[in-house]
Amino acid sequence: MSLAFISQQERINEISLALANEDLNRVSRRSLDLAYEFDYPFLIKDKALNLRADYNIDKELGKSGNDSKELHTAFIELLSDLSSIEKEIALNGNIDEVICEAKQIGKVYTSIRGSFTLSPIDLKLERGKIVGLVGENGNGKTTLLRVLCGEIDSSNGGLNFYEGERKIDTWEEIKENIAFIPQRTDRWWGTVEEQISFGASIKGIVGPDNDEKTNFIIHRLGLTNFRYHSWSQLSSGYKLRVEIAKTLVWEPRVLILDEPLANLDLLAQELLLQDLKDLANSWKQPVSMILTSQQLHEVETIADQIIFLKNGQAIFNGGLNELKNQDDFHTVELNGDFTYDSLGGLLHSFDARIEKNASGYTVNIPNSISLKELQTILIDSDFELSYYRDITNSTKKLFSDKY
């Protein structure tokens, strides 16, 4: 089989665009990714690493003005260095390589207080792809993750892991390839740097290689200013970043995360999701990921596949583009200066179904009425809209009692 090669030009273009928009956070992260993925000469890799560290330090100190202009100039020079050498790498494995395949796996719990059944589910975790696992609390999301990582046995079905075309037969070997980060992590001792270095060493990464990988992941995940901090000195968000760093430093093939966004503010959520997407899509070492979350919109922006669990059953399992084929109506969310009655009166002749909720209204309207027509109707009315969102292709609509 012939190898497929890819050049660095796509990444160069991405960095150039971020630089033009003065998005130095993006520039610093992607420059570092490019330098290491394409194995540039040591001096260029070191320059990218140090500039990422400088960005992290300056951001923490709130520097701007001349300082940020100097950093901007330094990144222009780095981009010139990265562009001056033609690089290409061989893609590592097949694009759609299946890492894990679950067929009809499920779990049944019984106790004197009741029982719970996670109904059989089919699932594939593919190289470089992200699966989002969503749904209400208590519907089996964490149970499914624990089955996938081998913490508990499934009650039925089969679970297979692969390395290329070779099936991995033992959990001992499987666990050398997968990592699970639960919602509540154990306390650790020492410093952030020591923990990350230890995480690499127990996977056999020692000496200069350990130092290089530890330094890379500390700066890449924005932990520069916290490398000598202890557990008690970190916020919940940074404790999570440390756990992810401890895992990614040894380059697992599968990363399983339970509610990674739960304790993060909006900006931290956005940065983490972008980091996960970038690292999953690495050309050199792509990672297959599955994560649970209550933040539907945020997860949908990065997930290649969504599984929605309700009452222990997967009522949806596929790409978001498949949602629109499930129903014969559009679903939108609205809010503004109007009442439930007035909205019902406006849309009554269109056979619309309206649900009132705490944040506004959810409107289901037949596909025979286009969204453009609905928008025209709303604009031509006397209503003042303050919020409008099409959720026809979002799993958010699956929370409705209709499903």
Side-chain angles (χ1 to χ4, degrees):
M1 183 180 68
S2 60
L3 291 175
F5 289 86
I6 192 163
S7 78
Q8 86 272 43
Q9 193 55 51
E10 181 180 329
R11 290 281 166 80
I12 293 288
N13 294 340
E14 179 187 352
I15 295 166
S16 298
L17 181 60
L19 195 56
N21 286 284
E22 299 185 355
D23 184 358
L24 297 190
N25 191 359
R26 186 76 180 154
V27 172
S28 65
R29 288 181 290 150
R30 298 307 271 162
S31 296
L32 187 58
D33 291 343
L34 175 60
Y36 275 75
E37 273 197 85
F38 283 79
D39 197 22
Y40 274 79
F42 171 78
L43 289 178
I44 294 180
K45 287 199 291 186
D46 193 54
K47 187 174 184 178
L49 190 72
N50 287 329
L51 283 176
R52 172 60 178 167
D54 289 344
Y55 171 82
N56 289 336
I57 293 169
D58 285 1
K59 181 182 177 185
E60 181 69 15
L61 295 176
K63 290 186 177 181
S64 59
N66 291 333
D67 295 304
S68 62
K69 289 179 181 178
E70 291 176 5
L71 199 55
H72 189 276
T73 300
F75 277 120
I76 293 175
E77 295 174 357
L78 174 60
L79 180 59
S80 177
D81 292 339
L82 292 167
S83 304
S84 66
I85 303 175
E86 290 189 9
K87 302 285 287 185
E88 65 177 15
I89 56 173
L91 289 177
N92 185 5
N94 298 320
I95 297 296
D96 297 321
E97 177 185 340
V98 175
I99 308 297
C100 169
E101 184 174 22
K103 293 185 177 181
Q104 294 294 289
I105 61 168
K107 185 67 178 178
V108 178
Y109 288 105
T110 57
S111 70
I112 59 174
R113 291 180 292 181
S115 63
F116 172 77
T117 299
L118 175 64
S119 298
I121 295 174
D122 290 334
L123 169 67
K124 285 184 180 180
L125 299 180
E126 296 179 312
R127 171 181 178 267
K129 299 292 181 65
I130 298 177
V131 176
L133 185 58
V134 298
E136 298 172 352
N137 289 332
N139 279 275
K141 299 190 299 296
T142 299
T143 297
L144 178 56
L145 296 190
R146 293 180 66 200
V147 169
L148 289 174
C149 73
E151 279 200 355
I152 57 176
D153 293 329
S154 60
S155 301
N156 48 269
L159 183 62
N160 296 316
F161 285 83
Y162 301 92
E163 185 172 21
E165 297 182 357
R166 181 178 73 90
K167 181 181 174 183
I168 304 176
D169 293 320
T170 67
W171 271 110
E172 181 180 8
E173 186 178 357
I174 289 169
K175 290 187 176 182
E176 290 297 313
N177 291 276
I178 63 175
F180 175 46
I181 300 178
Q183 184 175 358
R184 295 178 180 85
T185 57
D186 295 332
R187 178 175 181 139
W188 43 262
W189 305 98
T191 66
V192 168
E193 182 179 43
E194 289 168 344
Q195 277 293 308
I196 296 172
S197 177
F198 178 69
S201 67
I202 61 176
K203 294 295 183 177
I205 303 170
V206 297
D209 195 24
N210 184 296
D211 294 338
E212 181 181 33
K213 289 181 180 295
T214 298
N215 269 324
F216 172 85
I217 206 67
I218 283 175
H219 298 312
R220 179 59 180 81
L221 292 184
L223 294 169
T224 305
N225 302 298
F226 306 93
R227 67 187 305 159
Y228 303 119
H229 282 38
S230 65
W231 164 276
S232 59
Q233 293 174 299
L234 297 174
S235 67
S236 297
Y238 277 102
K239 286 174 183 173
L240 171 65
R241 279 194 169 263
V242 171
E243 293 300 324
I244 293 174
K246 287 164 57 179
T247 296
L248 292 178
V249 72
W250 56 269
E251 299 177 346
R253 299 176 69 227
V254 178
L255 178 59
I256 302 172
L257 303 112
D258 193 8
E259 295 288 350
L261 306 181
N263 297 312
L264 303 183
D265 59 40
L266 291 176
L267 178 58
Q269 288 179 13
E270 175 62 29
L271 290 175
L272 177 61
L273 289 171
Q274 188 59 66
D275 280 340
L276 293 177
K277 187 69 173 178
D278 289 341
L279 295 166
N281 291 338
S282 165
W283 285 327
K284 187 175 183 180
Q285 194 66 39
V287 183
S288 176
M289 298 185 189
I290 180 169
L291 60 92
T292 67
S293 181
Q294 301 294 330
Q295 311 299 325
L296 299 181
H297 177 65
E298 287 75 10
V299 170
E300 288 174 354
T301 61
I302 69 162
D304 301 287
Q305 176 186 349
I306 294 288
I307 298 175
F308 191 102
L309 294 181
K310 195 167 190 176
N311 299 322
Q313 296 185 329
I315 64 171
F316 178 77
N317 187 349
L320 289 177
N321 61 329
E322 299 174 41
L323 272 173
K324 63 183 178 183
N325 300 322
Q326 279 203 327
D327 304 305
D328 54 3
F329 53 83
H330 304 294
T331 305
V332 299
E333 294 179 325
L334 303 171
N335 205 357
D337 187 17
F338 49 83
T339 66
Y340 187 29
D341 289 341
S342 61
L343 181 62
L346 178 69
L347 302 179
H348 175 72
S349 61
F350 301 101
D351 196 26
R353 188 170 70 250
I354 303 170
E355 299 176 18
K356 182 173 173 53
N357 48 57
S359 58
Y361 306 91
T362 301
V363 178
N364 295 300
I365 195 163
N367 284 339
S368 56
I369 307 297
S370 71
L371 287 177
K372 186 175 181 180
E373 288 177 284
L374 174 61
Q375 292 164 4
T376 300
I377 293 167
L378 293 168
I379 291 171
D380 290 343
S381 71
D382 293 329
F383 294 171
E384 292 185 12
L385 283 177
S386 60
Y387 174 74
Y388 174 95
R389 183 184 169 206
D390 175 18
I391 61 169
T392 304
N393 295 342
S394 171
T395 53
K396 187 172 183 180
K397 70 179 186 179
L398 300 181
F399 280 96
S400 168
D401 289 338
K402 172 185 179 298
Y403 293 92

Coordinates of all heavy atoms in Angstrom, one line a residue, residues 271-328:
L271 N -11.9 27.4 24.4 CA -10.5 27.1 24.2 C -10.2 25.6 24.3 O -9.5 25.0 23.5 CB -9.6 27.8 25.2 CG -9.5 29.4 25.0 CD1 -8.8 30.0 26.1 CD2 -8.9 29.7 23.6
L272 N -10.8 24.9 25.3 CA -10.6 23.5 25.4 C -11.2 22.7 24.2 O -10.5 21.8 23.7 CB -11.3 23.0 26.7 CG -11.2 21.5 27.0 CD1 -9.7 21.1 27.1 CD2 -11.9 21.1 28.2
L273 N -12.4 23.1 23.8 CA -13.0 22.4 22.7 C -12.1 22.5 21.4 O -11.9 21.6 20.6 CB -14.4 22.8 22.4 CG -15.4 22.4 23.5 CD1 -16.8 23.1 23.2 CD2 -15.7 20.9 23.4
Q274 N -11.6 23.7 21.2 CA -10.7 23.9 20.0 C -9.5 23.1 20.1 O -9.0 22.5 19.1 CB -10.4 25.4 19.9 CG -9.7 25.8 18.6 CD -10.5 25.4 17.3 OE1 -11.6 25.9 17.1 NE2 -10.0 24.4 16.6
D275 N -8.9 23.1 21.3 CA -7.7 22.3 21.5 C -8.0 20.8 21.3 O -7.2 20.1 20.6 CB -7.2 22.4 23.0 CG -6.4 23.7 23.2 OD1 -5.9 24.3 22.2 OD2 -6.2 24.1 24.3
L276 N -9.1 20.3 21.8 CA -9.4 18.9 21.5 C -9.6 18.6 20.1 O -9.2 17.6 19.5 CB -10.7 18.5 22.3 CG -10.6 18.5 23.8 CD1 -12.0 18.2 24.5 CD2 -9.6 17.5 24.3
K277 N -10.3 19.5 19.3 CA -10.5 19.3 17.9 C -9.1 19.3 17.2 O -8.9 18.5 16.3 CB -11.4 20.5 17.4 CG -11.8 20.3 15.9 CD -12.7 19.1 15.7 CE -13.3 19.1 14.3 NZ -14.2 17.9 14.1
D278 N -8.3 20.3 17.5 CA -7.0 20.3 16.9 C -6.1 19.1 17.1 O -5.5 18.5 16.2 CB -6.2 21.6 17.4 CG -6.7 22.9 16.9 OD1 -7.5 22.9 15.9 OD2 -6.4 23.9 17.5
L279 N -6.1 18.6 18.4 CA -5.3 17.4 18.7 C -5.9 16.2 18.1 O -5.2 15.2 17.8 CB -5.2 17.3 20.2 CG -4.4 18.5 20.9 CD1 -4.6 18.6 22.4 CD2 -2.9 18.4 20.5
A280 N -7.3 16.1 18.0 CA -7.9 14.9 17.4 C -7.5 14.9 15.9 O -7.3 13.8 15.4 CB -9.4 15.0 17.5
N281 N -7.4 16.1 15.3 CA -7.1 16.1 13.9 C -5.7 16.2 13.5 O -5.3 16.5 12.4 CB -7.8 17.3 13.3 CG -9.3 17.2 13.3 OD1 -9.8 16.1 13.3 ND2 -10.1 18.3 13.2
S282 N -4.8 15.9 14.5 CA -3.4 15.9 14.2 C -3.1 14.9 13.0 O -3.6 13.8 12.9 CB -2.6 15.4 15.4 OG -1.3 15.0 15.1
W283 N -2.2 15.4 12.1 CA -1.9 14.6 11.0 C -0.9 13.5 11.4 O -0.9 12.4 10.8 CB -1.3 15.5 9.9 CG -2.3 16.3 9.1 CD1 -3.6 16.0 8.9 CD2 -2.1 17.6 8.6 NE1 -4.2 17.0 8.2 CE2 -3.3 18.0 8.0 CE3 -1.0 18.5 8.5 CZ2 -3.4 19.2 7.3 CZ3 -1.2 19.7 7.9 CH2 -2.4 20.0 7.3
K284 N -0.1 13.8 12.3 CA 1.0 12.8 12.7 C 0.5 11.8 13.7 O 0.8 10.6 13.6 CB 2.2 13.5 13.3 CG 3.4 12.7 13.6 CD 4.6 13.5 14.0 CE 5.8 12.6 14.2 NZ 7.0 13.4 14.6
Q285 N -0.3 12.2 14.7 CA -0.8 11.4 15.8 C -2.2 11.7 16.2 O -2.5 12.2 17.2 CB 0.1 11.6 17.1 CG 0.0 10.5 18.1 CD 0.4 9.1 17.6 OE1 1.4 9.0 16.9 NE2 -0.3 8.1 18.0
P286 N -3.2 11.4 15.2 CA -4.6 11.7 15.5 C -5.1 10.9 16.6 O -4.8 9.7 16.8 CB -5.3 11.3 14.2 CG -4.3 10.3 13.5 CD -3.0 10.7 14.0
V287 N -6.0 11.5 17.4 CA -6.6 10.8 18.6 C -8.1 10.6 18.3 O -8.8 11.6 17.8 CB -6.4 11.7 19.8 CG1 -7.0 10.9 21.1 CG2 -4.9 11.9 20.0
S288 N -8.7 9.5 18.6 CA -10.1 9.3 18.6 C -10.7 9.6 20.0 O -10.1 9.2 21.0 CB -10.4 7.8 18.3 OG -11.8 7.6 18.4
M289 N -11.7 10.4 20.0 CA -12.3 10.9 21.3 C -13.8 10.7 21.4 O -14.5 10.7 20.4 CB -12.0 12.4 21.4 CG -10.6 12.9 21.4 SD -10.4 14.7 21.8 CE -8.7 14.9 21.4
I290 N -14.2 10.4 22.6 CA -15.6 10.4 22.9 C -15.8 11.2 24.2 O -15.0 11.0 25.2 CB -16.2 9.0 23.0 CG1 -17.7 9.0 23.4 CG2 -15.4 8.1 24.0 CD1 -18.4 7.7 23.2
L291 N -16.7 12.1 24.2 CA -16.9 12.9 25.4 C -18.4 13.1 25.7 O -19.2 13.2 24.8 CB -16.2 14.3 25.3 CG -16.6 15.2 24.2 CD1 -17.7 16.2 24.6 CD2 -15.4 16.0 23.7
T292 N -18.7 13.3 27.0 CA -20.1 13.6 27.4 C -20.2 15.0 27.8 O -19.2 15.6 28.2 CB -20.5 12.7 28.6 OG1 -19.8 13.1 29.8 CG2 -20.3 11.3 28.4
S293 N -21.3 15.6 27.7 CA -21.5 17.0 28.1 C -23.0 17.4 28.0 O -23.8 16.8 27.3 CB -20.7 18.0 27.1 OG -20.9 19.3 27.6
Q294 N -23.3 18.4 28.9 CA -24.6 19.0 28.9 C -24.6 20.3 28.0 O -25.7 20.8 27.7 CB -25.0 19.4 30.3 CG -25.1 18.3 31.3 CD -26.2 17.3 30.9 OE1 -27.2 17.6 30.4 NE2 -26.0 16.0 31.3
Q295 N -23.4 20.7 27.5 CA -23.3 21.9 26.7 C -23.5 21.4 25.2 O -22.5 21.3 24.4 CB -21.9 22.5 26.9 CG -21.5 22.7 28.3 CD -22.5 23.6 29.0 OE1 -23.0 24.6 28.5 NE2 -22.7 23.4 30.3
L296 N -24.8 21.3 24.8 CA -25.1 20.7 23.5 C -24.5 21.5 22.3 O -23.8 20.9 21.5 CB -26.6 20.6 23.3 CG -27.3 19.8 24.3 CD1 -28.8 19.8 24.0 CD2 -26.8 18.4 24.3
H297 N -24.7 22.8 22.3 CA -24.3 23.6 21.1 C -22.8 23.5 21.0 O -22.2 23.4 19.9 CB -24.8 25.1 21.3 CG -24.3 25.9 20.2 ND1 -24.7 25.8 18.9 CD2 -23.4 27.0 20.2 CE1 -24.1 26.7 18.1 NE2 -23.4 27.5 18.9
E298 N -22.1 23.7 22.1 CA -20.6 23.7 22.1 C -20.1 22.3 21.6 O -19.2 22.3 20.7 CB -20.0 24.0 23.5 CG -20.2 25.4 23.9 CD -21.6 25.8 24.3 OE1 -22.5 24.9 24.5 OE2 -21.9 27.0 24.5
V299 N -20.6 21.2 22.1 CA -20.2 19.9 21.6 C -20.5 19.7 20.2 O -19.7 19.1 19.4 CB -20.8 18.8 22.5 CG1 -20.5 17.4 21.9 CG2 -20.2 18.9 23.9
E300 N -21.7 20.1 19.7 CA -22.1 19.9 18.4 C -21.1 20.6 17.4 O -21.0 20.2 16.2 CB -23.5 20.4 18.1 CG -24.5 19.5 18.8 CD -25.9 20.0 18.7 OE1 -26.1 21.1 18.2 OE2 -26.9 19.3 19.1
T301 N -20.5 21.7 17.8 CA -19.6 22.4 16.9 C -18.3 21.6 16.6 O -17.7 21.8 15.5 CB -19.2 23.7 17.5 OG1 -18.5 23.6 18.7 CG2 -20.4 24.6 17.7
I302 N -17.9 20.6 17.4 CA -16.7 19.9 17.2 C -16.9 18.4 16.9 O -16.0 17.7 16.4 CB -15.7 20.0 18.3 CG1 -16.2 19.3 19.6 CG2 -15.4 21.5 18.6 CD1 -15.1 19.0 20.6
A303 N -18.1 17.9 17.2 CA -18.3 16.4 17.1 C -18.6 16.0 15.7 O -19.3 16.7 14.9 CB -19.5 16.0 18.0
D304 N -18.1 14.9 15.3 CA -18.3 14.3 14.0 C -19.6 13.4 14.0 O -20.2 13.1 13.0 CB -17.2 13.5 13.5 CG -15.9 14.3 13.4 OD1 -15.8 15.1 12.5 OD2 -15.0 14.2 14.3
Q305 N -19.9 12.9 15.3 CA -21.0 12.1 15.5 C -21.6 12.4 16.8 O -20.9 12.7 17.8 CB -20.6 10.6 15.4 CG -21.7 9.6 15.7 CD -21.2 8.2 15.8 OE1 -20.1 7.9 15.4 NE2 -22.0 7.2 16.3
I306 N -23.0 12.3 17.0 CA -23.6 12.5 18.2 C -24.5 11.3 18.6 O -25.2 10.7 17.7 CB -24.6 13.8 18.1 CG1 -23.8 15.0 17.9 CG2 -25.4 13.9 19.4 CD1 -23.0 15.5 19.1
I307 N -24.4 10.9 19.9 CA -25.3 9.9 20.4 C -26.1 10.5 21.5 O -25.5 11.1 22.4 CB -24.5 8.7 21.0 CG1 -23.6 8.0 19.9 CG2 -25.4 7.7 21.6 CD1 -22.7 6.9 20.4
F308 N -27.4 10.4 21.4 CA -28.3 11.0 22.3 C -29.0 9.9 23.1 O -29.7 9.1 22.5 CB -29.4 11.9 21.7 CG -30.2 12.8 22.6 CD1 -29.9 14.1 22.8 CD2 -31.2 12.2 23.4 CE1 -30.6 14.9 23.7 CE2 -31.9 13.0 24.3 CZ -31.6 14.3 24.4
L309 N -28.7 9.9 24.4 CA -29.3 8.8 25.3 C -30.5 9.4 26.0 O -30.5 10.5 26.6 CB -28.3 8.3 26.3 CG -27.1 7.5 25.8 CD1 -26.2 7.1 26.9 CD2 -27.5 6.4 24.9
K310 N -31.6 8.6 26.0 CA -32.8 9.0 26.7 C -33.4 7.7 27.3 O -33.7 6.8 26.6 CB -33.8 9.7 25.8 CG -34.9 10.4 26.5 CD -35.7 11.3 25.5 CE -36.6 12.2 26.3 NZ -37.3 13.2 25.4
N311 N -33.6 7.7 28.6 CA -34.1 6.5 29.3 C -33.3 5.3 29.0 O -33.9 4.2 28.8 CB -35.6 6.3 28.9 CG -36.5 7.5 29.4 OD1 -36.3 8.1 30.4 ND2 -37.4 7.8 28.5
G312 N -32.0 5.5 28.9 CA -31.1 4.4 28.6 C -31.1 3.9 27.2 O -30.4 2.9 26.9
Q313 N -31.7 4.6 26.3 CA -31.8 4.2 24.9 C -31.1 5.2 24.0 O -31.3 6.4 24.3 CB -33.2 3.9 24.4 CG -33.9 2.7 25.1 CD -35.2 2.4 24.5 OE1 -35.9 3.4 24.1 NE2 -35.6 1.2 24.6
A314 N -30.4 4.8 23.0 CA -29.9 5.8 22.0 C -31.0 6.1 21.0 O -31.2 5.4 20.0 CB -28.7 5.1 21.3
I315 N -31.6 7.3 21.2 CA -32.7 7.6 20.3 C -32.2 8.3 19.1 O -32.9 8.6 18.1 CB -33.8 8.5 21.0 CG1 -33.2 9.9 21.5 CG2 -34.4 7.8 22.2 CD1 -34.2 10.8 22.0
F316 N -30.9 8.7 19.1 CA -30.2 9.2 17.9 C -28.8 8.8 18.0 O -28.1 8.9 19.0 CB -30.3 10.7 17.8 CG -29.6 11.3 16.6 CD1 -30.2 11.1 15.3 CD2 -28.4 11.8 16.7 CE1 -29.5 11.6 14.2 CE2 -27.7 12.3 15.6 CZ -28.3 12.2 14.3
N317 N -28.2 8.4 16.8 CA -26.8 7.9 16.8 C -26.4 8.2 15.3 O -26.6 7.4 14.4 CB -26.8 6.4 17.1 CG -25.3 5.9 17.2 OD1 -24.4 6.6 16.9 ND2 -25.1 4.7 17.7
G318 N -25.7 9.3 15.1 CA -25.2 9.6 13.8 C -24.7 11.0 13.7 O -24.5 11.7 14.7
G319 N -24.5 11.5 12.4 CA -24.1 12.9 12.2 C -25.3 13.8 12.3 O -26.4 13.5 12.1
L320 N -24.9 15.1 12.6 CA -26.0 16.1 12.8 C -26.8 16.3 11.5 O -28.0 16.6 11.6 CB -25.4 17.4 13.3 CG -24.9 17.4 14.7 CD1 -24.3 18.8 15.0 CD2 -26.0 17.1 15.7
N321 N -26.2 16.1 10.4 CA -26.9 16.3 9.1 C -28.0 15.3 8.9 O -29.0 15.5 8.1 CB -26.0 16.2 7.9 CG -25.3 14.9 7.8 OD1 -25.0 14.2 8.8 ND2 -25.0 14.5 6.6
E322 N -28.0 14.2 9.7 CA -29.0 13.1 9.6 C -30.2 13.5 10.4 O -31.3 12.9 10.2 CB -28.5 11.8 10.1 CG -27.3 11.3 9.3 CD -26.7 10.0 9.9 OE1 -27.4 9.2 10.4 OE2 -25.4 9.9 10.0
L323 N -30.1 14.5 11.3 CA -31.3 14.8 12.2 C -32.4 15.4 11.4 O -33.6 15.2 11.7 CB -30.9 15.9 13.2 CG -30.3 15.3 14.6 CD1 -29.8 16.5 15.4 CD2 -31.4 14.6 15.3
K324 N -32.1 16.2 10.3 CA -33.1 16.8 9.5 C -34.0 15.8 8.8 O -35.1 16.1 8.4 CB -32.5 17.8 8.5 CG -31.6 17.2 7.5 CD -31.0 18.2 6.6 CE -30.0 17.6 5.6 NZ -29.4 18.6 4.8
N325 N -33.5 14.6 8.6 CA -34.3 13.6 7.9 C -35.2 12.8 8.9 O -36.0 11.9 8.4 CB -33.3 12.6 7.2 CG -32.4 13.3 6.2 OD1 -32.9 14.2 5.5 ND2 -31.2 12.8 6.1
Q326 N -35.2 13.1 10.2 CA -36.0 12.4 11.1 C -37.4 12.9 11.2 O -38.3 12.1 11.6 CB -35.3 12.5 12.5 CG -34.2 11.6 12.8 CD -34.0 11.3 14.3 OE1 -34.2 12.2 15.1 NE2 -33.5 10.1 14.6
D327 N -37.6 14.1 10.9 CA -38.9 14.7 11.1 C -39.4 15.4 9.8 O -38.7 15.6 8.9 CB -38.9 15.8 12.2 CG -38.3 15.2 13.5 OD1 -38.9 14.2 14.0 OD2 -37.3 15.7 14.0
D328 N -40.7 15.8 9.9 CA -41.3 16.5 8.7 C -41.6 17.9 9.1 O -42.5 18.6 8.6 CB -42.6 15.8 8.3 CG -43.6 15.6 9.4 OD1 -43.3 16.0 10.5 OD2 -44.7 15.0 9.1

